[in-house]
Amino acid sequence: MDKIKIVWLSSYPLPRIPSINWAFKRSGSWHPCSWIINLANAITQYPEVDLHIVTLCPWVKKDQTVVLPEGYTVHVMKSSPPFIHRGWPAWFPLDLVTAFWSDRRKLLHKIKELSPDIVHGHGTETASGWAAVESGFPSVISMQAILSVLSKVIPSYSFRRRAVLERRAFKKARFFMGRTHYDIGFVRSINPSAKIFDLPEAIN
């Protein structure tokens, strides 16, 4: 049976994977990303699906690939300043200034290597949405927050810069996944010709 290779660009709760080779393990709790876990477990029940999740993390020693018993593969890409095992500091946000250039380059290289049938960028607040659109493969974007709205409530440089990048992705993308009238309407206001799929998140 021919498999449909799907690449997700998304966050992932890496402490769930015991074999991760950490350079520096962040203290405190990780976001459980329940919608990612639940949807991954559901979609891999279909034998024709070959799911690959590509996630960025600054606290690992090197890029790593892990095949999970649940039936999908997680690719961990190191994302941090050179020789440092932490993210870019708030007082020197070079990742934002460069529109996540380094992260996008890493993601695009991995996407090309995997050569998927579909790329799904989960979220528009980081490099995921942009990289999905830039990849040249059929792509879809889903929204986890709308930075153009958050930047009005919290007008920090980070949110304002991310909002600019988000709008660029919205204008360039063709396909979106939405889950509320609000986010669907927001996409329509920027990209009236977009094709939007109504897909509630698999959060328990």
Short mmCIF file of all heavy atoms in Angstrom, two decimals, residues 20-70:
data_model
loop_
_atom_site.label_atom_id
_atom_site.label_comp_id
_atom_site.label_asym_id
_atom_site.label_seq_id
_atom_site.Cartn_x
_atom_site.Cartn_y
_atom_site.Cartn_z
N ILE A 20 15.71 11.07 24.41
CA ILE A 20 16.22 12.37 23.95
C ILE A 20 17.56 12.66 24.61
O ILE A 20 17.73 12.52 25.83
CB ILE A 20 15.21 13.50 24.26
CG1 ILE A 20 13.97 13.36 23.38
CG2 ILE A 20 15.85 14.87 24.05
CD1 ILE A 20 14.23 13.54 21.91
N ASN A 21 18.52 13.10 23.81
CA ASN A 21 19.86 13.44 24.28
C ASN A 21 19.91 14.93 24.60
O ASN A 21 20.08 15.76 23.71
CB ASN A 21 20.89 13.06 23.21
CG ASN A 21 22.31 13.22 23.70
OD1 ASN A 21 22.55 13.57 24.85
ND2 ASN A 21 23.26 12.96 22.83
N TRP A 22 19.76 15.26 25.89
CA TRP A 22 19.68 16.66 26.30
C TRP A 22 21.07 17.25 26.50
O TRP A 22 21.96 16.59 27.01
CB TRP A 22 18.91 16.80 27.61
CG TRP A 22 17.50 16.33 27.55
CD1 TRP A 22 17.01 15.12 27.96
CD2 TRP A 22 16.37 17.06 27.05
NE1 TRP A 22 15.66 15.05 27.75
CE2 TRP A 22 15.23 16.23 27.21
CE3 TRP A 22 16.21 18.33 26.50
CZ2 TRP A 22 13.96 16.63 26.82
CZ3 TRP A 22 14.94 18.74 26.12
CH2 TRP A 22 13.84 17.90 26.28
N ALA A 23 21.22 18.50 26.12
CA ALA A 23 22.40 19.27 26.52
C ALA A 23 22.07 20.03 27.80
O ALA A 23 22.91 20.22 28.68
CB ALA A 23 22.79 20.25 25.41
N PHE A 24 20.83 20.47 27.87
CA PHE A 24 20.38 21.24 29.02
C PHE A 24 18.88 21.03 29.12
O PHE A 24 18.14 21.39 28.22
CB PHE A 24 20.69 22.73 28.83
CG PHE A 24 20.04 23.64 29.84
CD1 PHE A 24 20.57 23.76 31.11
CD2 PHE A 24 18.91 24.36 29.51
CE1 PHE A 24 19.97 24.60 32.04
CE2 PHE A 24 18.30 25.20 30.44
CZ PHE A 24 18.84 25.31 31.70
N LYS A 25 18.43 20.37 30.17
CA LYS A 25 17.02 20.08 30.34
C LYS A 25 16.35 21.21 31.10
O LYS A 25 16.71 21.49 32.23
CB LYS A 25 16.80 18.75 31.05
CG LYS A 25 15.37 18.24 30.91
CD LYS A 25 15.27 16.79 31.36
CE LYS A 25 13.86 16.25 31.13
NZ LYS A 25 13.72 14.84 31.53
N ARG A 26 15.40 21.84 30.44
CA ARG A 26 14.72 22.97 31.06
C ARG A 26 13.97 22.55 32.30
O ARG A 26 13.29 21.52 32.32
CB ARG A 26 13.74 23.58 30.05
CG ARG A 26 13.11 24.87 30.51
CD ARG A 26 12.09 25.37 29.51
NE ARG A 26 10.94 24.48 29.43
CZ ARG A 26 9.84 24.76 28.74
NH1 ARG A 26 9.77 25.87 28.05
NH2 ARG A 26 8.83 23.92 28.71
N SER A 27 14.10 23.33 33.36
CA SER A 27 13.36 23.04 34.58
C SER A 27 11.91 23.48 34.41
O SER A 27 11.59 24.30 33.56
CB SER A 27 14.00 23.75 35.77
OG SER A 27 13.99 25.16 35.54
N GLY A 28 11.06 22.95 35.25
CA GLY A 28 9.65 23.30 35.17
C GLY A 28 8.89 22.38 34.23
O GLY A 28 9.44 21.46 33.65
N SER A 29 7.62 22.65 34.09
CA SER A 29 6.76 21.78 33.29
C SER A 29 6.75 22.20 31.83
O SER A 29 6.94 23.37 31.50
CB SER A 29 5.34 21.80 33.85
OG SER A 29 4.80 23.11 33.79
N TRP A 30 6.54 21.22 30.97
CA TRP A 30 6.38 21.47 29.54
C TRP A 30 4.90 21.56 29.22
O TRP A 30 4.07 20.93 29.87
CB TRP A 30 7.00 20.33 28.73
CG TRP A 30 8.48 20.35 28.65
CD1 TRP A 30 9.36 20.22 29.68
CD2 TRP A 30 9.27 20.48 27.47
NE1 TRP A 30 10.65 20.27 29.22
CE2 TRP A 30 10.62 20.42 27.86
CE3 TRP A 30 8.97 20.62 26.12
CZ2 TRP A 30 11.67 20.51 26.96
CZ3 TRP A 30 10.00 20.72 25.22
CH2 TRP A 30 11.33 20.68 25.64
N HIS A 31 4.60 22.30 28.17
CA HIS A 31 3.22 22.30 27.70
C HIS A 31 2.90 20.91 27.18
O HIS A 31 3.67 20.33 26.42
CB HIS A 31 3.04 23.33 26.59
CG HIS A 31 1.61 23.66 26.33
ND1 HIS A 31 0.72 22.75 25.81
CD2 HIS A 31 0.90 24.81 26.54
CE1 HIS A 31 -0.48 23.30 25.71
NE2 HIS A 31 -0.39 24.55 26.15
N PRO A 32 1.77 20.33 27.57
CA PRO A 32 1.47 18.95 27.15
C PRO A 32 1.13 18.80 25.68
O PRO A 32 1.15 17.68 25.15
CB PRO A 32 0.27 18.58 28.03
CG PRO A 32 -0.37 19.89 28.37
CD PRO A 32 0.76 20.87 28.49
N CYS A 33 0.81 19.92 25.00
CA CYS A 33 0.46 19.86 23.56
C CYS A 33 -0.56 18.75 23.29
O CYS A 33 -0.39 17.93 22.39
CB CYS A 33 1.70 19.63 22.71
SG CYS A 33 2.97 20.88 22.87
N SER A 34 -1.61 18.71 24.09
CA SER A 34 -2.56 17.60 24.02
C SER A 34 -3.19 17.46 22.64
O SER A 34 -3.49 16.34 22.20
CB SER A 34 -3.64 17.76 25.09
OG SER A 34 -4.34 18.97 24.91
N TRP A 35 -3.40 18.57 21.95
CA TRP A 35 -4.02 18.47 20.62
C TRP A 35 -3.09 17.77 19.63
O TRP A 35 -3.55 17.03 18.76
CB TRP A 35 -4.42 19.85 20.11
CG TRP A 35 -3.28 20.79 19.89
CD1 TRP A 35 -2.65 21.04 18.71
CD2 TRP A 35 -2.63 21.61 20.86
NE1 TRP A 35 -1.63 21.96 18.88
CE2 TRP A 35 -1.61 22.33 20.19
CE3 TRP A 35 -2.82 21.81 22.23
CZ2 TRP A 35 -0.78 23.23 20.86
CZ3 TRP A 35 -1.99 22.71 22.87
CH2 TRP A 35 -0.99 23.40 22.20
N ILE A 36 -1.78 17.99 19.79
CA ILE A 36 -0.81 17.33 18.91
C ILE A 36 -0.77 15.82 19.21
O ILE A 36 -0.83 14.98 18.30
CB ILE A 36 0.59 17.93 19.09
CG1 ILE A 36 0.61 19.39 18.63
CG2 ILE A 36 1.64 17.12 18.33
CD1 ILE A 36 0.36 19.60 17.15
N ILE A 37 -0.68 15.47 20.48
CA ILE A 37 -0.61 14.06 20.88
C ILE A 37 -1.87 13.32 20.47
O ILE A 37 -1.82 12.24 19.86
CB ILE A 37 -0.39 13.94 22.40
CG1 ILE A 37 0.91 14.63 22.83
CG2 ILE A 37 -0.40 12.47 22.83
CD1 ILE A 37 2.16 14.05 22.18
N ASN A 38 -3.03 13.89 20.79
CA ASN A 38 -4.29 13.21 20.49
C ASN A 38 -4.52 13.06 18.99
O ASN A 38 -4.97 12.00 18.52
CB ASN A 38 -5.45 13.97 21.13
CG ASN A 38 -5.42 13.92 22.65
OD1 ASN A 38 -4.78 13.05 23.22
ND2 ASN A 38 -6.08 14.85 23.30
N LEU A 39 -4.23 14.11 18.24
CA LEU A 39 -4.43 14.04 16.80
C LEU A 39 -3.44 13.09 16.14
O LEU A 39 -3.78 12.35 15.21
CB LEU A 39 -4.33 15.44 16.18
CG LEU A 39 -4.77 15.57 14.72
CD1 LEU A 39 -6.20 15.08 14.52
CD2 LEU A 39 -4.65 17.02 14.26
N ALA A 40 -2.19 13.08 16.63
CA ALA A 40 -1.19 12.16 16.09
C ALA A 40 -1.59 10.72 16.35
O ALA A 40 -1.50 9.85 15.47
CB ALA A 40 0.18 12.44 16.71
N ASN A 41 -2.06 10.43 17.58
CA ASN A 41 -2.49 9.08 17.90
C ASN A 41 -3.69 8.65 17.06
O ASN A 41 -3.83 7.47 16.71
CB ASN A 41 -2.83 8.97 19.39
CG ASN A 41 -1.61 9.05 20.28
OD1 ASN A 41 -0.49 8.81 19.83
ND2 ASN A 41 -1.80 9.41 21.53
N ALA A 42 -4.56 9.61 16.75
CA ALA A 42 -5.75 9.28 15.95
C ALA A 42 -5.40 9.05 14.49
O ALA A 42 -5.84 8.08 13.87
CB ALA A 42 -6.78 10.41 16.08
N ILE A 43 -4.57 9.94 13.94
CA ILE A 43 -4.30 9.86 12.50
C ILE A 43 -3.43 8.67 12.15
O ILE A 43 -3.52 8.10 11.05
CB ILE A 43 -3.66 11.18 12.00
CG1 ILE A 43 -3.81 11.31 10.48
CG2 ILE A 43 -2.19 11.28 12.39
CD1 ILE A 43 -3.38 12.65 9.95
N THR A 44 -2.58 8.23 13.08
CA THR A 44 -1.72 7.07 12.79
C THR A 44 -2.46 5.75 12.92
O THR A 44 -1.88 4.69 12.68
CB THR A 44 -0.49 7.07 13.72
OG1 THR A 44 -0.91 7.24 15.08
CG2 THR A 44 0.47 8.19 13.35
N GLN A 45 -3.75 5.79 13.27
CA GLN A 45 -4.56 4.58 13.22
C GLN A 45 -4.87 4.17 11.78
O GLN A 45 -5.26 3.03 11.53
CB GLN A 45 -5.89 4.80 13.98
CG GLN A 45 -5.71 5.09 15.46
CD GLN A 45 -4.97 3.99 16.19
OE1 GLN A 45 -5.34 2.84 16.12
NE2 GLN A 45 -3.90 4.38 16.89
N TYR A 46 -4.67 5.10 10.86
CA TYR A 46 -4.87 4.80 9.45
C TYR A 46 -3.57 4.25 8.87
O TYR A 46 -2.55 4.95 8.85
CB TYR A 46 -5.30 6.05 8.69
CG TYR A 46 -6.66 6.56 9.10
CD1 TYR A 46 -6.80 7.46 10.16
CD2 TYR A 46 -7.81 6.13 8.45
CE1 TYR A 46 -8.05 7.91 10.56
CE2 TYR A 46 -9.06 6.59 8.83
CZ TYR A 46 -9.17 7.48 9.88
OH TYR A 46 -10.41 7.92 10.28
N PRO A 47 -3.56 3.01 8.40
CA PRO A 47 -2.31 2.38 7.94
C PRO A 47 -1.68 3.07 6.74
O PRO A 47 -0.49 2.89 6.48
CB PRO A 47 -2.73 0.95 7.61
CG PRO A 47 -4.21 1.01 7.38
CD PRO A 47 -4.72 2.09 8.29
N GLU A 48 -2.46 3.87 6.02
CA GLU A 48 -1.91 4.52 4.83
C GLU A 48 -1.19 5.83 5.17
O GLU A 48 -0.65 6.49 4.26
CB GLU A 48 -3.01 4.80 3.80
CG GLU A 48 -4.07 5.81 4.22
CD GLU A 48 -5.26 5.19 4.95
OE1 GLU A 48 -5.08 4.11 5.55
OE2 GLU A 48 -6.35 5.80 4.91
N VAL A 49 -1.15 6.22 6.45
CA VAL A 49 -0.52 7.48 6.86
C VAL A 49 0.86 7.23 7.44
O VAL A 49 1.05 6.38 8.31
CB VAL A 49 -1.40 8.22 7.89
CG1 VAL A 49 -0.64 9.41 8.48
CG2 VAL A 49 -2.69 8.71 7.25
N ASP A 50 1.84 7.99 6.96
CA ASP A 50 3.21 7.98 7.50
C ASP A 50 3.46 9.38 8.06
O ASP A 50 3.77 10.31 7.30
CB ASP A 50 4.20 7.64 6.39
CG ASP A 50 5.64 7.62 6.87
OD1 ASP A 50 5.86 7.53 8.10
OD2 ASP A 50 6.56 7.72 6.02
N LEU A 51 3.30 9.53 9.37
CA LEU A 51 3.37 10.85 10.01
C LEU A 51 4.75 11.13 10.57
O LEU A 51 5.32 10.32 11.31
CB LEU A 51 2.32 10.93 11.13
CG LEU A 51 2.31 12.24 11.95
CD1 LEU A 51 1.96 13.43 11.07
CD2 LEU A 51 1.33 12.12 13.11
N HIS A 52 5.27 12.32 10.26
CA HIS A 52 6.54 12.79 10.78
C HIS A 52 6.31 14.15 11.45
O HIS A 52 5.78 15.07 10.81
CB HIS A 52 7.57 12.94 9.66
CG HIS A 52 7.94 11.65 9.02
ND1 HIS A 52 9.14 11.01 9.26
CD2 HIS A 52 7.26 10.87 8.15
CE1 HIS A 52 9.18 9.89 8.56
NE2 HIS A 52 8.06 9.78 7.87
N ILE A 53 6.70 14.27 12.71
CA ILE A 53 6.58 15.54 13.42
C ILE A 53 7.98 16.14 13.54
O ILE A 53 8.89 15.52 14.09
CB ILE A 53 5.97 15.33 14.82
CG1 ILE A 53 4.56 14.75 14.69
CG2 ILE A 53 5.94 16.66 15.58
CD1 ILE A 53 3.89 14.46 16.02
N VAL A 54 8.14 17.35 13.03
CA VAL A 54 9.41 18.06 13.10
C VAL A 54 9.26 19.19 14.11
O VAL A 54 8.40 20.06 13.95
CB VAL A 54 9.83 18.62 11.73
CG1 VAL A 54 11.19 19.31 11.83
CG2 VAL A 54 9.88 17.50 10.68
N THR A 55 10.08 19.16 15.15
CA THR A 55 9.96 20.15 16.22
C THR A 55 11.31 20.77 16.51
O THR A 55 12.36 20.12 16.39
CB THR A 55 9.37 19.50 17.49
OG1 THR A 55 9.04 20.51 18.44
CG2 THR A 55 10.33 18.49 18.11
N LEU A 56 11.32 22.04 16.89
CA LEU A 56 12.54 22.77 17.21
C LEU A 56 12.74 22.83 18.72
O LEU A 56 11.77 23.01 19.47
CB LEU A 56 12.46 24.20 16.66
CG LEU A 56 12.37 24.33 15.14
CD1 LEU A 56 11.91 25.73 14.75
CD2 LEU A 56 13.70 24.02 14.49
N CYS A 57 13.99 22.68 19.16
CA CYS A 57 14.28 22.73 20.60
C CYS A 57 15.70 23.24 20.81
O CYS A 57 16.64 22.73 20.20
CB CYS A 57 14.12 21.34 21.21
SG CYS A 57 14.48 21.30 22.98
N PRO A 58 15.89 24.24 21.68
CA PRO A 58 17.24 24.77 21.92
C PRO A 58 18.05 23.97 22.93
O PRO A 58 19.24 24.19 23.07
CB PRO A 58 16.96 26.18 22.45
CG PRO A 58 15.64 26.07 23.12
CD PRO A 58 14.86 25.05 22.34
N TRP A 59 17.43 23.04 23.66
CA TRP A 59 18.09 22.40 24.81
C TRP A 59 18.65 21.02 24.51
O TRP A 59 18.99 20.28 25.44
CB TRP A 59 17.11 22.33 25.97
CG TRP A 59 16.54 23.68 26.31
CD1 TRP A 59 17.22 24.76 26.77
CD2 TRP A 59 15.19 24.08 26.17
NE1 TRP A 59 16.37 25.83 26.94
CE2 TRP A 59 15.11 25.44 26.57
CE3 TRP A 59 14.02 23.45 25.74
CZ2 TRP A 59 13.91 26.16 26.56
CZ3 TRP A 59 12.84 24.16 25.73
CH2 TRP A 59 12.79 25.50 26.13
N VAL A 60 18.72 20.65 23.24
CA VAL A 60 19.28 19.35 22.89
C VAL A 60 20.70 19.53 22.37
O VAL A 60 21.08 20.62 21.91
CB VAL A 60 18.43 18.62 21.84
CG1 VAL A 60 17.07 18.24 22.43
CG2 VAL A 60 18.25 19.46 20.58
N LYS A 61 21.51 18.46 22.43
CA LYS A 61 22.89 18.55 21.97
C LYS A 61 23.00 18.59 20.46
O LYS A 61 23.89 19.23 19.91
CB LYS A 61 23.68 17.35 22.51
CG LYS A 61 23.94 17.41 24.00
CD LYS A 61 24.81 16.25 24.45
CE LYS A 61 25.12 16.35 25.94
NZ LYS A 61 25.98 15.22 26.39
N LYS A 62 22.09 17.89 19.79
CA LYS A 62 22.16 17.80 18.33
C LYS A 62 20.80 17.37 17.79
O LYS A 62 19.90 17.00 18.55
CB LYS A 62 23.23 16.79 17.92
CG LYS A 62 22.97 15.39 18.46
CD LYS A 62 24.07 14.43 18.07
CE LYS A 62 23.80 13.03 18.62
NZ LYS A 62 24.87 12.08 18.23
N ASP A 63 20.66 17.41 16.47
CA ASP A 63 19.43 16.93 15.83
C ASP A 63 19.26 15.44 16.12
O ASP A 63 20.24 14.68 16.13
CB ASP A 63 19.49 17.15 14.32
CG ASP A 63 19.54 18.63 13.95
OD1 ASP A 63 19.32 19.48 14.84
OD2 ASP A 63 19.80 18.92 12.77
N GLN A 64 18.03 15.03 16.33
CA GLN A 64 17.74 13.64 16.67
C GLN A 64 16.44 13.19 16.01
O GLN A 64 15.54 14.01 15.81
CB GLN A 64 17.61 13.49 18.19
CG GLN A 64 18.85 13.90 18.95
CD GLN A 64 18.60 14.14 20.42
OE1 GLN A 64 18.12 13.26 21.13
NE2 GLN A 64 18.91 15.34 20.89
N THR A 65 16.36 11.91 15.69
CA THR A 65 15.15 11.33 15.13
C THR A 65 14.76 10.11 15.94
O THR A 65 15.60 9.25 16.21
CB THR A 65 15.37 10.93 13.65
OG1 THR A 65 15.65 12.12 12.88
CG2 THR A 65 14.13 10.25 13.09
N VAL A 66 13.49 10.07 16.34
CA VAL A 66 13.01 8.97 17.18
C VAL A 66 11.72 8.41 16.58
O VAL A 66 10.78 9.18 16.31
CB VAL A 66 12.73 9.44 18.62
CG1 VAL A 66 12.30 8.25 19.49
CG2 VAL A 66 13.96 10.12 19.22
N VAL A 67 11.69 7.11 16.36
CA VAL A 67 10.46 6.45 15.92
C VAL A 67 9.73 5.97 17.17
O VAL A 67 10.27 5.18 17.95
CB VAL A 67 10.77 5.26 14.98
CG1 VAL A 67 9.48 4.59 14.55
CG2 VAL A 67 11.57 5.73 13.77
N LEU A 68 8.52 6.44 17.37
CA LEU A 68 7.78 6.13 18.58
C LEU A 68 6.89 4.89 18.41
O LEU A 68 6.44 4.60 17.31
CB LEU A 68 6.90 7.33 18.97
CG LEU A 68 7.65 8.62 19.32
CD1 LEU A 68 6.68 9.69 19.76
CD2 LEU A 68 8.68 8.37 20.41
N PRO A 69 6.64 4.20 19.50
CA PRO A 69 5.77 3.01 19.44
C PRO A 69 4.36 3.34 18.95
O PRO A 69 3.67 2.46 18.43
CB PRO A 69 5.74 2.51 20.89
CG PRO A 69 6.91 3.14 21.56
CD PRO A 69 7.18 4.42 20.85
N GLU A 70 3.94 4.59 19.13
CA GLU A 70 2.59 4.98 18.69
C GLU A 70 2.44 4.94 17.18
O GLU A 70 1.32 5.02 16.66
CB GLU A 70 2.25 6.38 19.20
CG GLU A 70 2.05 6.46 20.71
CD GLU A 70 3.34 6.63 21.48
OE1 GLU A 70 4.43 6.49 20.88
OE2 GLU A 70 3.28 6.89 22.70
#
